[in-house]
Amino acid sequence: FLLGFAALLQTVAVIYGLVLLGRRQGATAGWLFLLGAMASMLAWRVFVLVKVVLPPFFNPTIAIWGSTCMVAAMYFFGREVTLRRKAETERDALLASERAARELAERASKLKDEFLATASHELRTPLSVILTWCSILTSGRASETELRKAVEVIERNARIQARLVDDLLDMTRMVAGNLHLELRTVPIDVPVRAAITSVTPAAQTRGISI
């Protein structure tokens, strides 16, 4: 009874192995060698069950064949596991790279928004000064001294705005790798006095003394 039950189990195992092989679950060579080992065990079990007289070399031959098939099956299954682990590692590395690239793109987009906001503010400042002095000129109540001063301030702020535009173009050259720097000494009082002169009309309009 036990021999018959063992033969039945081995038959089921062989059939199930054929089904898995038909589905091509990977490691085809491993499944083939495993089927060879199970088939040899099934053949030996059937011969013993039906009490067939076997030649002396049959048992060693079937044992060597089954053991060889089992070792080969383990080798191919192990190689399949190694390949799948390598593929999973590469997939994880790719996902990490894509995540890092997405974070970098989001950071670059945020920096771009901050840069545009800063550039807009810097461009608006000299433009506001120019508009303020233009309103003084068009009011008709400006003295000759104020007229000369207005022309100077408007010209200076126009140059400041032109320089800001040049700075934006320099940013473009910097991104393209074509920016050339010119180093020279700049007196610190010049930009400070220019800034004070630029905001003085707007400050006086609001009653603020500088």
Side-chain angles (χ1 to χ4, degrees):
F1 174 76
L2 292 178
L3 290 176
F5 184 70
L8 177 62
L9 288 179
Q10 289 172 350
T11 303
V12 173
V14 170
I15 295 174
Y16 185 63
L18 290 172
V19 172
L20 293 179
L21 179 63
R23 292 179 180 177
R24 298 189 181 277
Q25 298 294 328
T28 303
W31 286 110
L32 289 174
F33 281 108
L34 183 60
L35 284 174
M38 291 191 299
S40 64
M41 295 172 60
L42 177 60
W44 178 83
R45 188 71 64 186
V46 170
F47 288 150
V48 171
L49 186 62
V50 298
K51 298 180 180 180
V52 175
V53 179
L54 301 173
F57 63 86
F58 181 80
N59 286 340
T61 302
I62 202 75
I64 293 173
W65 168 255
S67 300
T68 302
C69 289
M70 187 61 66
V71 170
M74 293 302 100
Y75 166 76
F76 285 108
F77 282 135
R79 190 178 69 171
E80 180 69 17
V81 170
T82 301
L83 292 176
R84 289 191 178 185
R85 185 174 301 172
K86 181 180 179 181
E88 292 176 356
T89 302
E90 293 177 351
R91 182 194 61 190
D92 294 340
L94 180 60
L95 289 176
S97 177
E98 291 179 353
R99 189 180 302 111
R102 184 171 61 253
E103 293 176 354
L104 182 62
E106 293 175 354
R107 191 180 304 112
S109 178
K110 182 179 180 181
L111 290 175
K112 183 183 68 175
D113 294 339
E114 293 177 354
F115 171 76
L116 290 177
T118 303
S120 299
H121 175 73
E122 295 297 330
L123 288 172
R124 189 185 299 115
T125 300
L127 183 60
S128 300
V129 175
I130 293 174
L131 292 175
T132 301
W133 281 99
C134 286
S135 64
I136 294 175
L137 291 176
T138 57
S139 65
R141 296 189 300 270
S143 63
E144 185 177 351
T145 303
E146 289 178 338
L147 289 176
R148 287 196 301 267
K149 187 176 181 180
V151 172
E152 293 176 358
V153 174
I154 291 174
E155 182 181 3
R156 185 186 307 112
N157 283 273
R159 292 182 184 276
I160 292 174
Q161 197 164 30
R163 175 56 61 87
L164 289 173
V165 174
D166 290 338
D167 291 340
L168 293 177
L169 295 176
D170 287 340
M171 290 293 296
T172 305
R173 297 187 187 98
M174 186 183 300
V175 173
N178 298 325
L179 180 64
H180 301 283
L181 299 178
E182 179 183 353
L183 302 180
R184 62 180 179 178
T185 303
V186 178
I188 191 61
D189 62 317
V190 175
V192 174
R193 293 180 184 277
I196 294 175
T197 305
S198 298
V199 299
T200 297
Q204 291 176 349
T205 302
R206 300 181 181 181
I208 301 174
S209 60
I210 299 179

